[in-house]
Amino acid sequence: MAALALKSCRRGLSRFLSQGSLVPSSSTHLKGDRRHKSTVQYATRPDLPKLAYRKIKGKSPGVVFLPGYASHMNGQKAEALEEFCRSLGHSCLRFDYTGHGASEGVLAEGTIGTWKKDVLYMLDELADGPQILVGSSIGGWLMLLAAIARPEKTAAMVGISTAADHIVTLFNSLPLETKMEFQEKGEWTIPSKHAEDGLYKFSMEFLREAENHCVLHGPLPITCPVRLIHGLKDEDVPWHISLQVAERVLSTDVDVILRRYGQHRMSEKDDIKLMVYTIDDLIDKLTTTV
């Protein structure tokens, strides 16, 4: 049984790689596959914004992708992940948080708590059985919060440039006078090459609320397999945060992978290939019987 499971998994991975799915979606030889891409659907919640999502059905464990702040479910990592899951026959769920992408809501009005609720709703209502959570940047923080709140739905975790507590830690590290200036303005602005106008803006209310969800102040009651991938060239989120997560989770099955030239988004071809190989290995671990 173990040999059959491994052979099936590797055959799906080999087929996925041979189809060129790791190349950015603008590549010509992927255009013919676009008709197979999942369709956008909307999850309706009473008195809450609708959440846009894409889902393919398949075997367990499924894979759930959690994007970063101000990002969306149609990035290169998310689309490559869906194609990979399809090639193996495993389910895949990706979605936009409130105020992100095609979901309803206003980004500036969102909080870590808001987006945590989004993740838990999707796990409770749309994810069948235990899932491998794949969190990118702030999605890595939400991944940890979800794993603590829903251990029965978390089979394993893969953090990519995990930004656990980062926005709070970064603000608290500012000189006192600088913090007071931002507090008087009621808003903290951070230069970023990823923002459309070159700046990310966070209200003081956002920061105060985020403090309630910090996780690195003590042991993390997470016992599933954990994989943390981070680039040493990440200029947005320090790679040592992934080491802090690794030190705090209670799991005995933890690997940290540092890419020498990896940057924050980890969306180069080799970065995505590493993500896929890592998830493939976890699927094999979770489905192989001893």
Side-chain angles (χ1 to χ4, degrees):
M1 177 66 75
L4 287 175
L6 178 59
K7 184 181 293 184
S8 174
C9 190
R10 299 302 176 190
R11 185 165 57 244
L13 176 62
S14 177
R15 183 167 61 251
F16 168 76
L17 294 175
S18 67
Q19 289 172 346
S21 297
L22 293 175
V23 180
S25 57
S26 60
S27 187
T28 55
H29 65 278
L30 277 182
K31 292 179 179 178
D33 290 334
R34 289 189 176 181
R35 64 181 182 277
H36 300 301
K37 190 163 65 173
S38 58
T39 58
V40 178
Q41 303 179 68
Y42 291 88
T44 301
R45 305 176 293 172
D47 303 319
L48 289 172
K50 293 180 181 179
L51 297 179
Y53 70 94
R54 292 178 181 269
K55 179 181 179 180
I56 58 172
K57 295 181 179 181
K59 296 179 293 186
S60 183
V63 178
V64 177
F65 182 75
L66 308 177
Y69 176 78
S71 188
H72 51 78
M73 62 177 170
N74 296 320
Q76 291 178 13
K77 292 190 295 291
E79 294 201 340
L81 187 56
E82 179 177 294
E83 287 303 312
F84 164 68
C85 289
R86 189 191 307 279
S87 72
L88 262 61
H90 282 259
S91 66
C92 182
L93 173 64
R94 49 188 172 122
F95 65 97
D96 290 330
Y97 313 125
T98 297
H100 290 66
S103 288
E104 294 181 343
V106 179
L107 175 63
E109 296 175 0
T111 64
I112 298 298
T114 298
W115 303 323
K116 174 186 173 182
K117 289 179 181 178
D118 293 345
V119 176
L120 297 183
Y121 177 86
M122 301 304 276
L123 286 177
D124 292 341
E125 302 298 327
L126 291 172
D128 301 320
Q131 306 290 311
I132 297 175
L133 305 183
V134 181
S136 176
S137 191
I138 206 171
W141 186 358
L142 296 170
M143 170 188 75
L144 295 171
L145 293 171
I148 294 169
R150 297 290 188 274
E152 73 282 0
K153 297 300 288 280
T154 309
M157 302 191 308
V158 178
I160 303 169
S161 307
T162 299
D165 300 5
H166 178 55
I167 190 69
V168 174
T169 303
L170 189 60
F171 182 77
N172 289 339
S173 69
L174 296 174
L176 180 59
E177 291 184 2
T178 304
K179 284 194 290 186
M180 291 180 65
E181 289 178 4
F182 285 124
Q183 288 170 347
E184 290 178 2
K185 294 178 181 178
E187 184 179 72
W188 179 33
T189 55
I190 306 175
S192 174
K193 61 185 178 183
H194 305 302
E196 289 185 4
D197 58 357
L199 290 173
Y200 281 143
K201 301 176 182 179
F202 299 100
S203 68
M204 292 300 108
E205 290 77 12
F206 177 93
L207 291 169
R208 282 191 287 269
E209 197 277 341
E211 287 184 336
N212 298 326
H213 304 286
C214 287
V215 295
L216 297 181
H217 45 69
L220 292 171
I222 295 172
T223 57
C224 66
V226 178
R227 304 292 181 265
L228 300 163
I229 304 172
H230 217 123
L232 295 180
K233 299 295 184 182
D234 190 335
E235 297 178 351
D236 299 282
V237 178
W239 55 266
H240 65 73
I241 290 180
S242 287
L243 297 184
Q244 292 176 21
V245 173
E247 291 171 349
R248 286 163 174 73
V249 294
L250 298 183
S251 174
T252 57
D253 185 359
V254 182
D255 289 332
V256 179
I257 304 169
L258 300 177
R259 288 188 61 76
R260 182 175 182 182
Y261 298 108
Q263 300 186 27
H264 182 63
R265 289 197 167 180
M266 298 289 286
S267 57
E268 296 296 324
K269 182 178 178 179
D270 286 341
D271 298 331
I272 296 176
K273 185 183 294 185
L274 175 60
M275 176 189 72
V276 168
Y277 274 124
T278 302
I279 296 169
D280 178 59
D281 183 67
L282 284 171
I283 289 176
D284 175 53
K285 175 185 286 287
L286 295 168
T287 55
T288 299
T289 57
V290 179

